[in-house]
Amino acid sequence: MMDKKKKFDVPHSLAIIFFVMLIAAALTYLIPAGSFDRVKNEAGKTMVVAGSFHYMERSPVNPVRILNYVYAGLDSARSIIFALLCAGGGLGIVLESGMFQGAAGTLSRKAKGKEWFVIAFLMTVFALLCIPINLNYFIPFAPLGIVIATAMGYDAIVGISIIMLGGAVGFSCGAMNLPNTGTAQSIAELATFSGMGYRLICMVPFLVTSIVFVVKYAEKVRRNPEKSLVYGIDLGTDAFKTDAVPDFEKQHIPVAVVVGACIGYMIYVAIFRELSFESSAAIFLYMGLLSGIVMRMPVNKMCSCFMNGVKGMATTGVLIGFAYAISGILTAGNVMDTVVNGLAGLLGIFPRILQAPAMLVMHVIINFFVTSGSGQAAITMPIFIPVADLVGMTRQTAVLAFNFGDGFCNFILPHAAATMGFVGFANIPFTKWFKYAVKLFAIWMVVAAVLLMIATAIHYS
């Protein structure tokens, strides 16, 4: 009698992060420690001094002590964690109103046979929203994506893809991305948001390929649910299932108006003022409060729904905090500058037409060590801009390579806030998400390489 094979348990996302923390600690032993000199510019930002790299005494991180960096990681991520908790509470009240569920139910019925159009439309919407707004601000909308996907017969991966991968395009092309593009162009001595036209054009092929990729997977799952990468895995998202698909009714209209007004105000603040996690948290809090009021929800129920929403985001916040610990380990080991210096020295060996794609790959590698876009710009741009000048690459093309390398890579890394925010909320094991998203990432890199070669050919400036 043959023994039954033991069922393989998919590693929890937290276990994956812990494993990457061990890898980061190991790298501090393998990569020599080094550093650039740094100065503050007129705007008060800390900048790297090009040509100042020097090796220093090794400071490897003992693997036994990696958990010492968790608290610091949580502290570093406190802004996004607190914002997510507030947003989760506010959206907890909105979800209790049934407005999203009703809208998803009506939408799924209206789009019967054309579900692909709903995916394409919503991904385009979030791509446009993330032109001026950081995708991290939309992590709380993960429940919305899951509700819509479930109503159409898809899985949770499709649900978060609608928001996350759509937003990834708008965010990563960097047309009006102030923290990333703004910082990089400032260092490159380019006018803020100059060259926006070509970056907006770049969104088209990225968005089309992303929509086709998600729709293809979604239809495969709808035809055969067993093809889902999370089939048979309890994701704890039963609350978002719409087996008895509801309708969008008259009573939901006031809540829809409140939500629409709050999102509109968020866009206004992002474009004409300065959207912060603090202001974003306040907007979501008012969204929840006003939604409860217009629904005439009892105060105790509003409070209960708010706390349930906070609980839903707590796991996500902890995962993000642990992920930030990885950067802390690499910083303590003083290996990030060594990697940047080594990669910059390799650029000159490539043919001119391939130099921008090569810089793209270098930014992808660096992004493992520095997931913060503005942080990566501050470290790499003072190094890569002089190198770009030497090899005849326009500074605008160098900034574009940074945008693509920093942005798109964030959606396959276990220590990137966006990835862990969405995947963590949906309880999707990171290994399953990686298996799904790495294929799209490979397509993105091909598209990016072609667009960068075109930028080189047209002398993009």
Side-chain angles (χ1 to χ4, degrees):
M1 186 177 182
M2 295 180 65
D3 294 332
K4 290 183 179 180
K5 290 184 178 180
K6 187 178 179 180
K7 185 179 178 181
F8 174 72
D9 289 329
V10 179
H12 192 281
S13 295
L14 186 59
I16 297 294
I17 293 175
F18 182 79
F19 180 67
V20 176
M21 289 169 68
L22 288 173
I23 293 176
L27 289 175
T28 64
Y29 285 88
L30 300 174
I31 301 174
S35 180
F36 290 102
D37 294 333
R38 287 168 166 78
V39 296
K40 286 195 174 183
N41 63 8
E42 295 177 356
K45 292 183 178 179
T46 301
M47 310 293 294
V48 166
V49 178
S52 66
F53 179 79
H54 56 278
Y55 289 103
M56 56 193 298
E57 185 178 347
R58 285 180 176 270
S59 55
V61 174
N62 187 335
V64 177
R65 295 178 57 82
I66 59 174
L67 291 180
N68 290 21
Y69 293 87
V70 172
Y71 181 87
L74 289 165
D75 186 53
S76 298
R78 62 185 181 278
S79 293
I80 185 172
I81 292 174
F82 293 160
L84 286 177
L85 294 177
C86 292
L91 283 175
I93 299 173
V94 176
L95 285 171
E96 182 63 24
S97 74
M99 186 274 291
F100 280 151
Q101 293 88 328
T106 299
L107 187 63
S108 65
R109 271 189 289 271
K110 296 280 188 183
K112 200 70 177 177
K114 295 182 180 179
E115 290 85 356
W116 66 268
F117 179 79
V118 176
I119 294 176
F121 173 74
L122 290 176
M123 287 183 70
T124 302
V125 168
F126 279 99
L128 295 174
L129 286 173
C130 288
I131 291 176
I133 303 176
N134 191 317
L135 178 59
N136 291 343
Y137 293 115
F138 290 103
I139 293 174
F141 283 92
L144 171 61
I146 295 173
V147 167
I148 292 173
T150 304
M152 295 190 296
Y154 302 136
D155 64 5
I157 287 180
V158 175
I160 63 171
S161 293
I162 289 172
I163 299 173
M164 182 182 181
L165 300 183
V169 173
F171 170 81
S172 302
C173 289
M176 291 177 62
N177 188 325
L178 189 58
N180 294 13
T181 305
T183 300
Q185 288 186 322
S186 173
I187 297 169
E189 299 178 333
L190 296 169
T192 302
F193 300 147
S194 58
M196 185 190 301
Y198 186 67
R199 292 197 299 278
L200 288 172
I201 292 172
C202 288
M203 286 181 60
V204 177
F206 279 117
L207 185 57
V208 170
T209 53
S210 300
I211 290 172
V212 171
F213 180 86
V214 175
V215 168
K216 185 177 179 181
Y217 171 82
E219 288 302 310
K220 180 175 69 173
V221 169
R222 191 160 64 90
R223 288 193 299 268
N224 183 0
E226 292 184 9
K227 294 289 186 180
S228 168
L229 290 172
V230 292
Y231 180 77
I233 300 176
D234 182 11
L235 303 180
T237 55
D238 290 344
F240 304 123
K241 289 184 178 179
T242 51
D243 296 327
V245 183
D247 282 313
F248 184 85
E249 300 173 351
K250 187 180 294 186
Q251 65 185 21
H252 296 137
I253 294 176
V255 180
V257 171
V258 167
V259 173
C262 289
I263 294 175
Y265 182 68
M266 185 184 293
I267 296 171
Y268 168 80
V269 173
I271 296 175
F272 298 105
R273 297 185 184 178
E274 184 176 350
L275 184 65
S276 65
F277 283 115
E278 181 180 353
S279 56
S280 174
I283 291 171
F284 278 106
L285 288 173
Y286 278 110
M287 182 190 296
L289 175 63
L290 295 174
S291 295
I293 291 173
V294 298
M295 280 292 292
R296 297 181 181 178
M297 192 179 293
V299 172
N300 282 353
K301 187 174 182 180
M302 286 176 62
C303 293
S304 177
C305 293
F306 179 86
M307 295 309 296
N308 286 335
V310 171
K311 291 176 186 176
M313 282 296 173
T315 298
T316 303
V318 170
L319 287 174
I320 291 173
F322 265 79
Y324 270 55
I326 296 170
S327 295
I329 292 169
L330 295 170
T331 300
N334 291 302
V335 299
M336 292 190 288
D337 287 1
T338 305
V339 173
V340 173
N341 183 65
L343 292 175
L346 292 174
L347 194 61
I349 69 174
F350 292 91
R352 181 174 178 272
I353 195 66
L354 295 179
Q355 284 171 343
M359 186 179 286
L360 163 71
V361 174
M362 292 174 184
H363 278 294
V364 168
I365 295 171
I366 292 168
N367 204 39
F368 175 82
F369 296 86
V370 190
T371 55
S372 165
S374 57
Q376 186 178 156
I379 294 172
T380 61
M381 287 294 99
I383 310 305
F384 280 118
I385 291 300
V387 172
D389 290 342
L390 287 173
V391 299
M393 182 191 306
T394 68
R395 295 188 173 193
Q396 206 71 265
T397 301
V399 171
L400 190 64
F402 156 73
N403 279 333
F404 292 163
D406 164 72
F408 289 110
C409 187
N410 284 325
F411 305 99
I412 60 167
L413 293 177
H415 55 300
T419 297
M420 294 320 303
F422 282 98
V423 174
F425 179 86
N427 292 317
I428 296 171
F430 177 77
T431 50
K432 296 295 185 180
W433 174 259
F434 184 83
K435 182 178 180 180
Y436 165 79
V438 72
K439 298 173 184 176
L440 178 58
F441 176 71
I443 296 171
W444 277 342
M445 289 300 97
V446 172
V447 173
V450 172
L451 292 170
L452 285 169
M453 286 190 284
I454 293 174
T456 299
I458 65 175
H459 206 67
Y460 171 49
S461 59

